[in-house]
Amino acid sequence: MSANANDLRSPSLIVHNARVYTGTAEGNVADALAVAGGRIAAVGRAADVLALAGRSTEVVDLGGRTVLPGLIDSHNHLLEVGVKEAAIRLDECRSPAEMATLVRERAAVTPPGHWIIGMGWNEANFPGQQLPTIADIDTATDRHPVLLMRFFNTDLVNGIALRKAGITAETSNPPGGRIEHDANGQPNGLLRATAKTLVRQLVPAPTTAELRAALRLGYRETLRLGITSVIEPGLYPDELRAYHESYRHGELDVRVNLMPNWHGFRDSESPAQLDARAAELGVGTGFGDEWLRLGALKMAIDGGTTPRNAYMYEPFEGDDELRPFLRLPLADLPSYLDRAQELGWDVGIHCCGDRAQDVAVQAIADAMTARPRPDARHSIIHAYFPSATAIKAMAAHQIAAVIQPTFLYWEGNQIFRDVGERRASNYKPIRRYLDAGVPVAASSDVTSTVTADPFVAMYALVTRLNCEGIAVAPGEAISRWEALKTYTTAGAWLTHEEHVKGTLTPGMLADFIVLDRDFFAVPVEAIRDIRVLATVVGGRLVHGSLL
């Protein structure tokens, strides 16, 4: 047994008769663990750990169940998860008609003129994968503007919303976006990429109290899935304020690293304003405590593969030319990264295209060489199609790949359509990243995917099968142990917190989960069906039951 000699208090909690995977090495399993002061006090043989119990210690027999370290989702829009919980849930809709029914039901209890918002539809779930249009939802209400968000990068709106936005057949596409039309040349309700903002900007901004309420819903959903820490990317000042208020009021049940929005987002913010955001706070990456901290700055270079506006070297399948959506002037990227290095900020850059990733990795490597900062932990977010050159530079400079196995699972059936067999064979090449020594942290990117469920994600990492059972770059499969590390120690490393989270060892934060089956022993096809029976954060039960 190992114990923390500096903590002589009786444990507040001991769990025993368990398979405790400590996360320190493959196959390292203990029988019991003890918690004191919100941290792991001891891990080891049940007899030794139980001997530490005092009169007030809660002792729980887990009946042989499996315990894992709390999971870390390294790119999770937790606030939007809460907003989605309050909106109409469209994830499970299997037809546009079902969407219309949910809109009609919500309209019956919503004051006229108020917005009806839905989130999460996916045409892959519809007959023939047919995209819905305004014709499918316009009959659901004639008294409310309606905004239904696809799980990624496309909105469906009704006629009232189009009229409010002034969108007609003559309205031009905004840069980086597209207004879809029907056979008669009229807007059909589908707004892609930046065209979404034409309507979204009309929705009243939520108050701080409303954002806090959304966060509480987000915490609940996140903890249900066994996620005890998240990196929340791309936050604006009002959203940062909501997190701080939630923290001040003792509402945080999930540990959060906040990524402020930086270059590549709102066109209304000038480079000078964005520089001030990073420079005038007087603090940077790592400021905060074990519950709420500042993480990296969030940047973005391009779009995505589904809307076909990622920055690629070659056109998408069936296209005769490239139509990339560049979110910032590439010539300015080196100066932005040099400034981040100077100010002590880590940076995470959204890159989906192979060309975007090459540009971003080179700019980061150059900045790290010109202005060395040994503790810098920059990352490429998404990191779909790395070149050999990019992988080599990422390994040399320890630039992390923050990948989304949830995309592989839920959108893997579309990647062949978008980039073809040859390029799909290099889609999220986790095996190549790890073999080269590139740090890899896994994440969900909810709400841009169906669910944040990390066991669905780890199933995809281990099998490389999508939701239809089709293999996507099967040679990039990794082991269960490697998959678990992408959700534990890798995420902790990315946020400079490997000394307090990611493993179940004495002195570490007492964040752990209890599963309904053994992640390492179940048949591989059962990994995606694993359920979390209990989630403990800081030694406190925050979801489910230990009994």
Side-chain angles (χ1 to χ4, degrees), residues 513-544:
I513 57 177
V514 181
L515 308 182
D516 67 345
R517 64 199 86 177
D518 190 334
F519 170 73
F520 288 99
V522 296
V524 69
E525 63 271 14
I527 292 174
R528 60 183 166 177
D529 299 320
I530 290 174
R531 293 294 175 263
V532 176
L533 300 176
T535 304
V536 174
V537 182
R540 184 169 64 90
L541 181 69
V542 289
H543 163 74

Side-chain angles (χ1 to χ4, degrees), residues 162-308:
L162 285 177
R163 290 191 290 274
K164 279 182 170 291
I167 297 173
T168 68
E170 287 72 42
T171 303
S172 299
N173 289 327
R178 189 164 72 247
I179 301 167
E180 299 285 5
H181 297 82
D182 62 21
N184 298 316
Q186 297 299 314
N188 71 359
L190 289 169
L191 306 174
R192 295 187 182 274
T194 58
K196 298 181 301 182
T197 62
L198 299 175
V199 168
R200 288 193 184 190
Q201 66 187 354
L202 303 177
V203 180
T207 65
T208 299
E210 289 170 335
L211 291 175
R212 276 178 54 200
L215 283 174
R216 290 192 292 271
L217 292 174
Y219 303 152
R220 184 179 66 188
E221 174 66 8
T222 300
L223 293 167
R224 181 183 71 83
L225 298 172
I227 298 166
T228 57
S229 294
V230 305
I231 299 176
E232 163 80 273
L235 294 164
Y236 291 103
D238 58 328
E239 296 165 328
L240 294 168
R241 184 177 303 110
Y243 265 110
H244 186 223
E245 287 298 301
S246 184
Y247 171 81
R248 285 202 319 113
H249 286 83
E251 297 166 350
L252 266 176
D253 287 326
V254 179
R255 304 187 194 277
V256 183
N257 267 258
L258 307 169
M259 292 183 73
N261 248 332
W262 211 33
H263 296 279
F265 293 94
R266 285 179 180 164
D267 292 337
S268 59
E269 294 185 297
S270 70
Q273 288 174 303
L274 293 169
D275 184 69
R277 178 172 297 167
E280 294 179 5
L281 287 177
V283 295
T285 296
F287 179 78
D289 65 13
E290 62 199 31
W291 284 103
L292 191 65
R293 293 161 47 93
L294 285 176
L297 297 170
K298 171 72 183 298
M299 299 181 67
I301 285 184
D302 64 349
T305 53
T306 303
R308 297 184 164 222

Side-chain angles (χ1 to χ4, degrees), residues 124-463:
N125 297 328
F126 300 164
Q129 298 189 16
Q130 185 67 39
L131 283 166
T133 69
I134 196 170
D136 294 305
I137 63 169
D138 238 8
T139 58
T141 177
D142 59 3
R143 301 185 301 165
H144 307 83
V146 177
L147 169 61
L148 305 181
M149 304 176 189
R150 185 178 181 271
F151 72 92
F152 179 66
N153 219 39
T154 300
D155 289 348
L156 173 64
V157 302
N158 69 350
I160 296 174
L162 285 177
R163 290 191 290 274
K164 279 182 170 291
I167 297 173
T168 68
E170 287 72 42
T171 303
S172 299
N173 289 327
R178 189 164 72 247
I179 301 167
E180 299 285 5
H181 297 82
D182 62 21
N184 298 316
Q186 297 299 314
N188 71 359
L190 289 169
L191 306 174
R192 295 187 182 274
T194 58
K196 298 181 301 182
T197 62
L198 299 175
V199 168
R200 288 193 184 190
Q201 66 187 354
L202 303 177
V203 180
T207 65
T208 299
E210 289 170 335
L211 291 175
R212 276 178 54 200
L215 283 174
R216 290 192 292 271
L217 292 174
Y219 303 152
R220 184 179 66 188
E221 174 66 8
T222 300
L223 293 167
R224 181 183 71 83
L225 298 172
I227 298 166
T228 57
S229 294
V230 305
I231 299 176
E232 163 80 273
L235 294 164
Y236 291 103
D238 58 328
E239 296 165 328
L240 294 168
R241 184 177 303 110
Y243 265 110
H244 186 223
E245 287 298 301
S246 184
Y247 171 81
R248 285 202 319 113
H249 286 83
E251 297 166 350
L252 266 176
D253 287 326
V254 179
R255 304 187 194 277
V256 183
N257 267 258
L258 307 169
M259 292 183 73
N261 248 332
W262 211 33
H263 296 279
F265 293 94
R266 285 179 180 164
D267 292 337
S268 59
E269 294 185 297
S270 70
Q273 288 174 303
L274 293 169
D275 184 69
R277 178 172 297 167
E280 294 179 5
L281 287 177
V283 295
T285 296
F287 179 78
D289 65 13
E290 62 199 31
W291 284 103
L292 191 65
R293 293 161 47 93
L294 285 176
L297 297 170
K298 171 72 183 298
M299 299 181 67
I301 285 184
D302 64 349
T305 53
T306 303
R308 297 184 164 222
N309 57 7
Y311 190 36
M312 305 286 286
Y313 283 109
E314 302 174 33
F316 286 90
E317 291 293 292
D319 290 351
D320 55 2
E321 62 178 327
L322 288 164
R323 301 179 183 87
F325 169 39
L326 293 177
R327 299 191 182 190
L328 51 77
L330 295 184
D332 294 336
L333 184 60
S335 65
Y336 298 155
L337 291 167
D338 182 73
R339 185 67 164 145
Q341 281 288 100
E342 177 188 14
L343 294 170
W345 286 97
D346 292 345
V347 173
I349 307 182
H350 167 117
C351 298
C352 289
D354 49 7
R355 194 170 183 179
Q357 186 164 346
D358 272 353
V359 169
V361 169
Q362 188 62 55
I364 292 172
D366 289 346
M368 295 179 75
T369 300
R371 196 186 292 273
R373 181 161 58 83
D375 65 337
R377 297 181 184 179
H378 303 302
S379 63
I380 301 298
I381 298 167
H382 303 309
Y384 282 1
F385 307 108
S387 65
T389 300
I391 289 179
K392 183 177 180 180
M394 291 172 73
H397 295 277
Q398 289 296 277
I399 302 168
V402 179
I403 51 89
Q404 295 73 40
T406 46
F407 288 12
L408 190 156
Y409 185 79
W410 294 109
E411 295 184 65
N413 57 336
Q414 298 173 339
I415 198 66
F416 301 103
R417 175 200 69 188
D418 293 332
V419 302
E421 292 278 351
R422 174 177 56 84
R423 285 182 288 181
S425 67
N426 190 40
Y427 180 61
K428 296 189 181 294
I430 317 303
R431 178 77 276 149
R432 287 178 61 212
Y433 277 133
L434 292 177
D435 288 349
V438 175
V440 177
S443 68
S444 63
D445 197 13
V446 286
T447 56
S448 293
T449 192
V450 175
T451 174
D453 191 331
F455 294 99
V456 169
M458 286 190 274
Y459 166 83
L461 287 175
V462 171
T463 66

